[in-house]
Amino acid sequence: MDFRLLLVSLAAAAALAQTPAHRIVIQAGAILDGKGGTLKNQQIVVEGSRIQSVAPGNQKPDYDLRGLTVMPGWIDTHVHINWHMNAEHKSVSGGDKPEDAALYTAGDAWLTLEGGFTTVQSVGAAIDGVVRDRIAQGVLPGPRILTSLRQINDRSGDPQALRALVRRTQSEGANLIKLFATTGLGAGGNQSMTDEQIQAVCSEAKALGLRSVVHAIGDAGAKAAVLAGCTSIEHGTFLENATLDLMAQRGTYFDPNLLVLHNYLDNRASYTFTEQALATLEKGIAPTIDALQRARAHKVKVVFGTDAVAGSHGRNAEEFVYRVNEAHDKPMDALISATSLSAESLGMGQEIGTVAAGFQADLVATEGNPIDDITAVRRVVFVMKGGKVYKGR
């Protein structure tokens, strides 16, 4: 990567992003409000970083988006924003010099924003925090980033040490806690942290006002995490119906991920997977689809995450396509998952994820309506985050 070119490009993107004017008027022909509603022929008035009103009007628009479909900026609740491809197109997830890691992460963030995602949750690496803060300061273009800064697993210590690690992670500026309750898909997804370890992490996080998201492939680890009061179950490939019922009863969020599996398979030359591992990943698609379908049937709160790694940043919207075309998710349900429901899962349900007065002015517009043709999510032509336009016409 030519870092000088990347620096110039990022600086230019930040400069070109329109500074929020006192007032911006957007004319919209069709709006999907993020809650399941559809509005026609409305004007969205933005003041500063927030939506001031959504109503019919005849003011001269600053942006005429008639002929497009306007939605809340999309939310991805599970990314690894620092993973990237090197000059040889090989996946890298760590080990870079800090300055190189920051640049790669910033580049991934820019691609993600350009793809229509205005908020992401990265779970997580320390470098996420540096880029998060620069984006928040307005000196880098990128989505709003929430990060766990690190990952906690069975080797991170006994319950007492884990509680201390959660406190330390918060003191270092983490927005949430990420823990591994099970092994990975290739290792079978068996429970790896003890019930006591999971309880220590999630209860300490809750006491500190932090959410806890849990890597859980197999049912045993997922159930232990739900019983421990953890916030969300990630992946959930082999969840049983009884655990899904428990999740529905307790309001535990579920984040199945299809893009990551396809991305590994599509970019197999960039990774070091064995043929056996690749076969395992491919076999993981069907049970993930099944878990998503059963979660819907059991009224579980299904959010939108991609587990975006190297090769998928900027392509996060492909998760919509996989969920609808492969898992037969209803397009509106998939969009609600990626907007108001994901916002709720992040504790930001009154801030983002909905097109309505008082919410952050995070907007994305596509050519075509994803309710009619889900592949419209690939055709993002307008992106606004916090009242700033980063992509428009």
Side-chain angles (χ1 to χ4, degrees), residues 22-352:
H22 178 66
R23 203 160 186 271
I24 296 173
V25 178
I26 298 169
Q27 184 70 51
I31 300 172
L32 305 178
D33 67 5
K35 294 276 194 178
T38 301
L39 305 173
K40 298 288 188 180
N41 301 318
Q42 304 282 302
Q43 288 194 330
I44 304 170
V45 178
V46 175
E47 292 192 355
S49 67
R50 293 186 180 272
I51 298 171
Q52 192 269 332
S53 65
V54 182
N58 55 11
Q59 301 176 67
K60 181 179 179 181
D62 298 287
Y63 293 92
D64 190 341
L65 304 185
R66 282 174 291 193
L68 306 177
T69 304
V70 179
M71 291 157 274
W74 299 326
I75 302 166
D76 191 333
T77 65
H78 190 138
V79 304
H80 296 275
I81 201 72
N82 67 309
W83 284 40
H84 59 272
M85 295 294 186
N86 64 15
E88 289 73 43
H89 203 68
K90 298 296 183 182
S91 171
V92 178
S93 59
D96 292 311
K97 295 177 182 178
E99 60 270 26
D100 292 348
L103 285 168
Y104 276 120
T105 304
D108 287 342
W110 183 17
L111 290 173
T112 302
L113 179 64
E114 289 281 290
F117 287 80
T118 53
T119 301
V120 300
Q121 182 166 257
S122 190
V123 293
I127 199 65
D128 296 349
V130 177
V131 176
R132 171 197 64 187
D133 295 344
R134 296 301 177 270
I135 290 172
Q137 291 166 8
V139 297
L140 284 176
R144 190 178 292 104
I145 294 177
L146 307 178
T147 176
S148 63
L149 297 179
R150 64 165 50 86
Q151 300 173 347
I152 295 174
N153 58 40
D154 59 303
R155 299 179 298 280
S156 298
D158 62 19
Q160 183 176 354
L162 289 170
R163 290 182 182 277
L165 182 57
V166 170
R167 293 193 295 271
R168 175 184 158 197
T169 303
Q170 184 201 43
S171 72
E172 291 172 349
N175 305 102
L176 66 141
I177 299 297
K178 166 70 181 296
L179 62 150
F180 277 72
T182 75
T183 61
L185 181 62
N190 297 318
Q191 185 171 343
S192 52
M193 294 182 79
T194 66
D195 289 2
E196 292 75 20
Q197 286 179 310
I198 296 170
Q199 175 67 35
V201 173
C202 291
S203 63
E204 190 67 25
K206 186 174 182 179
L208 296 172
L210 294 179
R211 293 170 296 104
S212 49
V213 302
V214 186
H215 168 105
I217 301 293
D219 186 74
K223 182 178 180 180
V226 175
L227 291 172
C230 307
T231 307
S232 71
I233 300 299
E234 310 296 304
H235 311 302
T237 315
F238 302 117
L239 288 177
E240 296 181 2
N241 288 338
T243 300
L244 290 171
D245 285 335
L246 188 64
M247 292 170 67
Q249 293 164 13
R250 298 197 171 209
T252 310
Y253 298 96
F254 179 37
D255 179 25
N257 315 122
L258 289 168
L259 173 59
V260 65
L261 298 173
H262 284 281
N263 182 70
Y264 284 143
L265 295 167
D266 292 344
N267 291 285
R268 63 188 67 201
S270 300
Y271 291 87
T272 57
F273 294 120
T274 64
E275 287 302 315
Q276 180 180 1
L278 288 167
T280 299
L281 291 170
E282 190 164 14
K283 290 177 182 176
I285 294 173
T288 301
I289 288 172
D290 179 61
L292 169 56
Q293 293 174 338
R294 288 186 293 111
R296 291 291 192 194
H298 287 254
K299 309 300 182 185
V300 176
K301 293 182 176 181
V302 178
V303 297
F304 188 95
T306 64
D307 197 6
V309 293
S312 52
H313 300 299
R315 299 178 51 247
N316 311 60
E318 290 300 306
E319 180 77 22
F320 286 115
V321 180
Y322 292 129
R323 288 194 181 191
V324 172
N325 288 350
E326 290 189 353
H328 305 296
D329 216 16
K330 294 178 181 177
M332 185 64 83
D333 287 345
L335 288 164
I336 292 171
S337 286
T339 52
S340 61
L341 190 57
S342 281
E344 177 190 300
S345 78
L346 301 181
M348 302 180 71
Q350 300 304 311
E351 284 285 312
I352 60 175

